[in-house]
Amino acid sequence: MSSNSFYPSDFDLHLFHEGNLFKAYNLFGSHVRNEKTFFALWAPNAEKVSVMGDFNNWTGRGAEMEQVTNEGVWFLELPQNLEGSLYKFEIVSKSGRVIHKTDPFAFMTELRPQTAGVIYTLDGYKWRDENWRSKNRRSSLLYKDPIAIYEMHLGTWKKKGKGENDLYTYRELADMLIPYVKEQGFTHIEVMPVTEHPFDRSWGYQSTGYFAATRRYGTPEDFMYFVDECHQHGLGVILDWVPGHFCKDAHGLHNFDGGFSYEYENSWDRENYVWGTANFDLSKKEVQSFLISNALFWIDYYHIDGFRVDAVSNIFYWPNRDGLEANPHGVSFLQKLNKAVFAFKPDALMIAEDSSDWPQVTAPVDQGGIGFNYKWNMGWMNDVLDYMETHWDYRSQKHHQMTFSLMYAYAENYILPFSHDEVVHGKKSLLDKMPGDYWQKFAQLRLLLMFMMAHPGKKLLFMGTELAPFSEWKDLEEVDWHLLDYDMHRSFNEYFKQLMHLYKTVPSLYELDHSPDGFQWIDVHNHEQSIFSFIRNDIEGNAVIIVCNFGNCGYSNYKVGVPQSGMYEEFLNSDEAVYGGSNMVNKKKIKSVAKVFHGQPAYVDINVPPFGAIYLRCVKDKGRN
């Protein structure tokens, strides 16, 4: 062993087996240092391991690895710089079976369908996002600032053609996507998983290469450019991340060394029958080191701002047991993960995609919580979409579905999601979920989005929503850009941009998302007309009055209680003609009447359009008349 060897230290090995080596990517995998190449692998069930690649004719001869400890860590030092070479591990199991596996820590792999790892160094990119990273991004601002997330699939936002490889690169996408997303009014881009995966139509949710940005769209530096450009233009980048399960392709983590190193030994716990995948054994300390290191890796090398953690309920609970039986290993892993991420990046976004009612998901770990800082509000999404899909003649019977979310709105820090999951597999697009004729569908979608922007919680919308497509997401084709050739879709997009930019500039709509002080019902009981009215306040007490009519009848001289006397103006109406509406608007300023109504000290008489929403604010209080 040479004096400049990078042989694993006893301390690193101790941390790895303890579940606390949070930068395991600096040890494991392949690394070129001082014109030598080093390999390290965890394969506890292997009898023998060799490195095979294009540098030794894929034989493994002369590249046999040494077992460092009896706990399954293997190491090899080769005296040449093998940067750019292809390689795999040849593993002989204890039963004598020969297995060829891709390096779990590979920083780059071949383009599918090829599966070899590439010996690759990630230190060459020159970042230019210093201002983004150095400005005062206190964690408290994550709650008081507006957050509007554009969820997207890189392969189907835009395509060069119809073939599976007719894809834009990360760099090309950055140059097209960033100005577009900013124009639409979003604050963040959430990218569906870019961890390397063998099957396009898994959308990245069934990964093999957790440390490799998929080659479908270019090199690691290309993805760094994508993130860098987002930051330079004021957009955060969130990665969809899947620590619960992995795909079972032969070259991946499944049955890695002839045994079940990464997954549960027990088949009932190991098999994820819903998705055809294998569940990570989160009780294993080495698996904890692997996954937590992976999260820190994307922050460290790619400057990622946070993660949407997929299928959290599948981690909270054992997936194949009767009833809801908590998995203590999953719970403790998530707590450990969040503590590690926030210690490394205090302003990270850690977002739980959780459909369960597990308590305190967004409470700090030291207060008994799971430690995320946001959670998708799946209950709100399901209730609201069910209500919207109900014909307006029967919505009065489901009135509570639009109000129930306020019973628990402050139990967690919520993001309101209309994600890709709601517009695939026959669920229909948001527009097509709306009942009625062509005009009524558009009117109700405009109404729905204004209700969403006014409801407590940050926002997430799937790509294409801004165009109001009739078709659900087609995961082999690009977004329906041709819709902008049609007047109604073009008008809708103008409305969408106005709404999104307004959301970001009116503090009442976001500053107190997580405080009861930010919301007050005006009239919650009008189920006969399906009209809801409420107030959103900012920190200084400035109020926005929201009126949402989910019925098909418009009303003149509709009385709405307001929190102070004065002159009011309508500053957004979803029914404006320019947006494709019937133009039942309130053009002039409205003087309130100083008489108690709806429990408020005054009221205004306004026009309320059919399937319409209105935002009002006081522009001059009575004391300054």
Side-chain angles (χ1 to χ4, degrees):
M1 185 166 53
S2 63
S3 60
N4 63 352
S5 173
F6 288 85
Y7 197 83
S9 71
D10 290 342
F11 184 62
D12 280 347
L13 292 172
H14 170 75
L15 290 177
F16 177 67
H17 294 303
E18 190 181 60
N20 292 320
L21 187 61
F22 293 160
K23 289 193 176 183
Y25 49 88
N26 289 331
L27 169 62
F28 290 94
S30 61
H31 299 274
V32 176
R33 295 164 177 154
N34 299 337
E35 296 303 308
K36 297 180 181 180
T37 306
F38 303 87
F39 301 87
L41 177 71
W42 179 59
N45 298 296
E47 188 67 33
K48 178 183 176 183
V49 181
S50 303
V51 180
M52 53 185 289
D54 55 7
F55 52 87
N56 62 7
N57 295 318
W58 297 97
T59 64
R61 287 194 297 271
E64 294 82 9
M65 301 186 77
E66 169 194 359
Q67 188 167 1
V68 176
T69 70
N70 59 7
E71 294 174 294
V73 175
W74 301 76
F75 181 77
L76 173 66
E77 174 185 325
L78 292 178
Q80 65 259 51
N81 182 336
L82 296 175
E83 181 82 15
S85 296
L86 303 177
Y87 73 108
K88 284 190 175 184
F89 292 112
E90 183 175 76
I91 300 171
V92 180
S93 72
K94 291 179 178 177
S95 66
R97 184 161 66 97
V98 178
I99 308 164
H100 295 158
K101 290 287 186 176
T102 305
D103 182 2
F105 282 89
F107 291 159
M108 189 165 80
T109 64
E110 294 181 286
L111 176 65
R112 52 106 176 86
Q114 306 304 316
T115 58
V118 181
I119 298 171
Y120 203 81
T121 301
L122 293 177
D123 297 328
Y125 184 81
K126 302 299 182 184
W127 288 89
R128 297 172 295 165
D129 64 346
E130 296 86 1
N131 289 340
W132 174 268
R133 288 165 61 83
S134 64
K135 70 180 180 178
N136 185 17
R137 301 187 62 78
R138 293 172 297 166
S139 59
S140 61
L141 296 179
L142 294 174
Y143 306 107
K144 295 179 181 177
D145 280 358
I147 294 179
I149 302 168
Y150 190 70
E151 184 200 28
M152 64 171 304
H153 180 253
L154 291 176
T156 54
W157 183 70
K158 282 189 178 180
K159 293 188 69 173
K160 295 179 179 179
K162 295 186 177 180
E164 68 172 0
N165 290 321
D166 292 333
L167 306 172
Y168 285 102
T169 67
Y170 295 115
R171 289 177 182 268
E172 292 169 331
L173 285 166
D175 294 343
M176 294 185 294
L177 176 70
I178 291 169
Y180 177 81
V181 170
K182 287 183 67 67
E183 180 190 13
Q184 299 302 311
F186 290 91
T187 63
H188 293 72
I189 294 172
E190 180 181 310
V191 181
M192 291 165 70
V194 297
T195 47
E196 192 56 86
H197 50 284
F199 182 47
D200 287 15
R201 302 195 75 178
S202 78
W203 312 329
Y205 292 102
Q206 298 189 12
S207 292
T208 50
Y210 273 72
F211 291 82
T214 177
R215 287 292 297 277
R216 289 166 174 79
Y217 317 115
T219 67
E221 285 80 9
D222 292 335
F223 186 54
M224 292 175 187
Y225 173 88
F226 177 90
V227 178
D228 197 5
E229 287 293 305
C230 285
H231 286 172
Q232 290 181 63
H233 290 87
L235 290 172
V237 181
I238 301 165
L239 286 192
D240 221 333
W241 188 61
V242 189
H245 63 107
F246 54 87
C247 74
K248 296 164 69 174
D249 290 58
H251 65 282
L253 299 176
H254 181 59
N255 201 204
F256 186 78
D257 49 12
F260 299 109
S261 299
Y262 286 88
E263 58 269 70
Y264 289 102
E265 302 282 343
N266 183 309
S267 63
W268 193 238
D269 296 328
R270 178 176 66 248
E271 296 298 321
N272 196 309
Y273 296 107
V274 174
W275 295 313
T277 54
N279 295 313
F280 277 108
D281 184 347
L282 298 174
S283 71
K284 290 180 180 173
K285 303 301 185 181
E286 295 86 357
V287 172
Q288 295 174 17
S289 287
F290 174 80
L291 288 171
I292 295 174
S293 291
N294 186 244
L296 299 193
F297 166 81
W298 290 101
I299 298 172
D300 191 5
Y301 275 100
Y302 290 94
H303 295 193
I304 293 301
D305 298 290
F307 303 93
R308 176 269 201 183
V309 181
D310 181 62
V312 166
S313 60
N314 190 62
I315 298 175
F316 280 151
Y317 298 102
W318 293 103
N320 300 317
R321 303 191 186 184
D322 293 335
L324 294 177
E325 183 177 344
N327 179 348
H329 311 302
V331 174
S332 61
F333 163 75
L334 290 172
Q335 292 173 319
K336 189 174 184 178
L337 165 72
N338 286 316
K339 287 178 66 176
V341 168
F342 288 123
F344 189 66
K345 182 178 173 60
D347 64 340
L349 283 165
M350 292 297 290
I351 304 166
E353 188 263 320
D354 175 29
S355 58
S356 76
D357 59 358
W358 193 278
Q360 293 190 286
V361 173
T362 58
V365 174
D366 61 9
Q367 296 178 21
I370 303 301
F372 289 96
N373 51 11
Y374 276 101
K375 171 181 172 172
W376 277 17
N377 194 334
M378 308 289 277
W380 175 88
M381 178 272 297
N382 285 317
D383 283 348
V384 167
L385 290 183
D386 181 65
Y387 179 89
M388 295 303 301
E389 290 184 86
T390 300
H391 191 277
W392 52 86
D393 286 344
Y394 303 101
R395 283 176 177 165
S396 63
Q397 300 172 22
K398 296 188 174 183
H399 193 77
H400 65 283
Q401 290 186 197
M402 298 297 274
T403 64
F404 180 65
S405 58
L406 270 301
M407 300 294 292
Y408 61 85
Y410 310 108
E412 305 279 4
N413 302 321
Y414 281 117
I415 290 175
L416 310 181
F418 289 144
S419 74
H420 71 277
D421 277 330
E422 312 320 316
V423 293
V424 290
H425 303 320
K427 295 180 182 177
K428 302 191 291 188
S429 71
L430 289 184
L431 180 68
D432 205 25
K433 292 178 192 289
M434 306 298 113
D437 62 25
Y438 185 82
W439 186 91
Q440 291 166 331
K441 284 179 179 291
F442 275 93
Q444 289 174 92
L445 183 55
R446 293 193 302 269
L447 163 63
L448 170 61
L449 292 180
M450 268 185 79
F451 175 75
M452 178 190 193
M453 292 300 147
H455 191 286
K458 308 309 181 185
K459 324 300 177 187
L460 178 142
L461 292 164
F462 185 54
M463 66 179 191
T465 302
E466 69 276 13
L467 306 179
F470 272 101
S471 300
E472 63 179 28
W473 176 39
K474 302 177 289 292
D475 65 350
L476 295 177
E477 302 175 29
E478 69 176 14
V479 167
D480 292 333
W481 299 107
H482 66 278
L483 294 176
L484 291 174
D485 295 334
Y486 297 87
D487 290 343
M488 202 66 163
H489 294 276
R490 190 165 56 249
S491 297
F492 178 88
N493 184 240
E494 290 304 315
Y495 161 79
F496 184 91
K497 289 186 287 188
Q498 176 70 13
L499 174 61
M500 295 300 292
H501 284 284
L502 186 149
Y503 161 70
K504 294 191 303 180
T505 56
V506 179
S508 300
L509 297 178
Y510 61 78
E511 272 190 346
L512 294 175
D513 272 332
H514 313 299
S515 168
D517 294 337
F519 182 93
Q520 181 185 358
W521 285 113
I522 297 173
D523 184 7
V524 70
H525 302 296
N526 189 355
H527 63 88
E528 292 182 357
Q529 294 172 299
S530 296
I531 297 177
F532 302 82
S533 53
F534 54 95
I535 300 169
R536 291 299 310 275
N537 293 306
D538 65 14
I539 291 172
E540 296 180 354
N542 298 307
V544 170
I545 314 303
I546 297 97
V547 182
C548 296
N549 178 12
F550 291 91
N552 68 325
C553 295
Y555 304 93
S556 299
N557 301 315
Y558 186 88
K559 290 181 173 57
V560 178
V562 292
Q564 66 185 105
S565 295
M567 299 297 293
Y568 283 77
E569 70 172 0
E570 174 184 276
F571 63 101
L572 188 64
N573 187 320
S574 67
D575 194 51
E576 288 186 44
V578 69
Y579 303 141
S582 67
N583 214 39
M584 193 172 182
V585 297
N586 299 278
K587 293 181 180 180
K588 297 180 179 180
K589 288 185 173 62
I590 309 149
K591 186 176 182 179
S592 68
V593 177
K595 184 176 180 180
V596 174
F597 194 77
H598 285 150
Q600 302 294 327
Y603 70 85
V604 291
D605 279 311
I606 59 173
N607 295 324
V608 177
F611 299 133
I614 295 169
Y615 291 172
L616 300 168
R617 60 189 165 197
C618 185
V619 291
K620 186 185 293 185
D621 65 47
K622 189 173 182 180
R624 291 198 293 266
N625 281 349

